[in-house]
Amino acid sequence: MDRDAHRHDVGADDGVVARDGGLIFARVVAADGTLQTIDWAAAQAWTCRQPGDFLWLHLDRTDPGVIAWLGDATAGGLRLSEATVDALTSTENRPRAFREGDALVTILRGINFNPDAQPEDMVAMQMWCDGTRVVTLRRQRLQTPFDVLATMEQRRGPRTAGDLFTELVEQTVAKMNRSIVDMNDRIDELEAADEDYPVEDILATIADIRRNCLALKRYMSPQHEALLQIGRDPPDWLSETNRRDIRETIDRLSRYIEDLDVSKESALVIQDDINNRATAQSNKTIYMLSIIAAIFLPLSFFTGLLGINVGGIPGMHSDDGFWITVALLVAVLAVQIVVFRKLRWL
């Protein structure tokens, strides 16, 4: 690998891409795993000369040159149909997969690990592969292609186009686990929180978890269907090992979707528990206020009756009138407490 090309790829990995006609990186992969870096012009003119060789192109799908090359019917173009070009470059990229001859078109969504981005804002990766060329396209930076490229540069990565396609699918799905584990950890923290933990913070965290679950499942469910479609109608260049690995990836994605459902239900249980506790506390407070009001209602009646400004108030001219009134009120209060206790209101 020449140093300039290597610096170019490192720049791409850091999110600062010096594009060459929309090319982020291009590698010719030999059957023994040896990588050769080529530029955009060489990539367009590349043809497979040795059995087992294949080309991997990672492109920016927003570049007009890339869009034109995908549908170019000349010798240097990929000669894809208009519908396929639209699927590979559209911003409305719901996960799906379909065959076009011996080529496989796949649209996946991966966790967004870009700075200041929410993981649930999943980034699209479109792939096209015909067994000798693997084309991956993106708009925002994707971590998975660079992770796979790093293993290939260490001679530990995929050796065939089918292996590369399968590895990209596997890593895209595997990285979803991190977000799901993070959500489950947050739910465990909420379950372990004591009663003094601010309720507003708990409810805000629960709302965030529920939004994340919905956002992730929005793409994970159709992604599961897309992988099932690949498993039902795999192209010949996917080996039996590749097909088995894709089946394992489908099973893993199924577990992730189930974990999302569990996380959402756990968040709802915590929310219901908080709401029930709040309702119980509110009812208890209202009950105590009602008891207090019931106690003071007759006392207030007697004191109000004795306080009216008319003649004939008993004890008005007696030196002991105040203490007699207090004793009567205390007696009424005692009778009320006895009655309330027998009624089990206290």
Side-chain angles (χ1 to χ4, degrees), residues 120-140:
E120 65 273 10
D121 299 332
M122 302 181 76
V123 181
M125 179 174 67
Q126 289 101 324
M127 293 191 292
W128 178 92
C129 181
D130 64 354
T132 59
R133 285 175 294 186
V134 179
V135 180
T136 53
L137 305 103
R138 56 82 158 164
R139 181 174 64 86
Q140 294 177 285

Side-chain angles (χ1 to χ4, degrees), residues 47-343:
T47 56
C48 183
R49 294 185 175 86
Q50 296 292 333
D53 291 359
F54 70 94
L55 171 66
W56 180 16
L57 294 172
H58 189 46
L59 306 174
D60 179 356
R61 63 178 169 84
T62 63
D63 190 283
V66 170
I67 298 174
W69 174 73
L70 291 173
D72 191 354
T74 63
L78 213 53
R79 305 180 183 184
L80 303 183
S81 67
E82 183 178 348
T84 302
V85 173
D86 184 65
L88 291 174
T89 58
S90 173
T91 56
E92 298 296 329
N93 24 49
R94 184 176 183 271
R96 60 189 177 118
F98 60 90
R99 290 275 301 274
E100 189 174 68
D102 198 38
L104 182 59
V105 180
T106 308
I107 302 170
L108 300 178
R109 285 274 184 163
I111 296 297
N112 192 341
F113 293 109
N114 292 315
D116 301 324
Q118 296 297 320
E120 65 273 10
D121 299 332
M122 302 181 76
V123 181
M125 179 174 67
Q126 289 101 324
M127 293 191 292
W128 178 92
C129 181
D130 64 354
T132 59
R133 285 175 294 186
V134 179
V135 180
T136 53
L137 305 103
R138 56 82 158 164
R139 181 174 64 86
Q140 294 177 285
R141 179 184 174 272
L142 286 165
Q143 181 176 334
T144 296
F146 291 101
D147 290 346
V148 175
L149 178 62
T151 62
M152 295 176 70
E153 289 177 338
Q154 298 170 10
R155 306 290 291 274
R156 296 187 293 105
R159 299 293 182 89
T160 68
D163 291 346
L164 175 58
F165 177 88
T166 304
E167 183 70 15
L168 289 169
V169 171
E170 285 181 335
Q171 289 212 23
T172 299
V173 171
K175 284 181 172 60
M176 296 176 181
N177 188 47
R178 189 186 306 179
S179 290
I180 297 173
V181 169
D182 289 343
M183 281 193 295
N184 289 337
D185 289 342
R186 292 167 68 187
I187 290 173
D188 291 341
E189 291 173 1
L190 294 179
E191 290 176 340
D194 54 36
E195 295 185 359
D196 295 332
Y197 197 87
V199 173
E200 295 79 6
D201 293 345
I202 295 178
L203 292 177
T205 302
I206 289 173
D208 186 47
I209 290 173
R210 292 181 64 186
R211 281 193 297 269
N212 291 350
C213 288
L214 290 174
L216 289 173
K217 195 170 182 181
R218 175 188 177 190
Y219 294 115
M220 290 173 65
S221 294
Q223 192 143 298
H224 182 261
E225 293 299 321
L227 297 184
L228 285 175
Q229 178 60 35
I230 295 173
R232 285 192 291 263
D233 186 24
D236 294 337
W237 45 265
L238 281 177
S239 67
E240 185 58 38
T241 300
N242 299 150
R243 300 176 190 186
R244 184 183 65 246
D245 291 341
I246 288 177
R247 287 194 296 269
E248 290 297 321
T249 303
I250 293 171
D251 181 66
R252 179 185 299 172
L253 186 55
S254 298
R255 294 198 304 271
Y256 291 167
I257 293 174
E258 292 171 0
D259 289 343
L260 276 182
D261 291 334
V262 171
S263 298
K264 184 173 67 174
E265 292 299 323
S266 299
L268 284 173
V269 168
I270 297 174
Q271 186 175 23
D272 289 343
D273 181 59
I274 292 174
N275 290 336
N276 290 338
R277 279 190 290 171
T279 302
Q281 183 63 39
S282 177
N283 291 338
K284 183 179 179 180
T285 302
I286 293 173
Y287 179 77
M288 292 304 299
L289 290 175
S290 300
I291 294 297
I292 293 172
I295 289 174
F296 281 95
L297 182 62
L299 301 180
S300 300
F301 171 76
F302 283 122
T303 56
L305 184 64
L306 293 174
I308 59 178
N309 191 19
V310 296
I313 300 297
M316 183 173 58
H317 300 292
S318 173
D319 294 336
D320 298 326
F322 172 76
W323 298 110
I324 293 172
T325 301
V326 170
L328 288 173
L329 293 177
V330 170
V332 171
L333 177 61
V335 171
Q336 283 183 294
I337 291 176
V338 171
V339 172
F340 286 174
R341 284 189 176 277
K342 285 187 176 181
L343 294 175

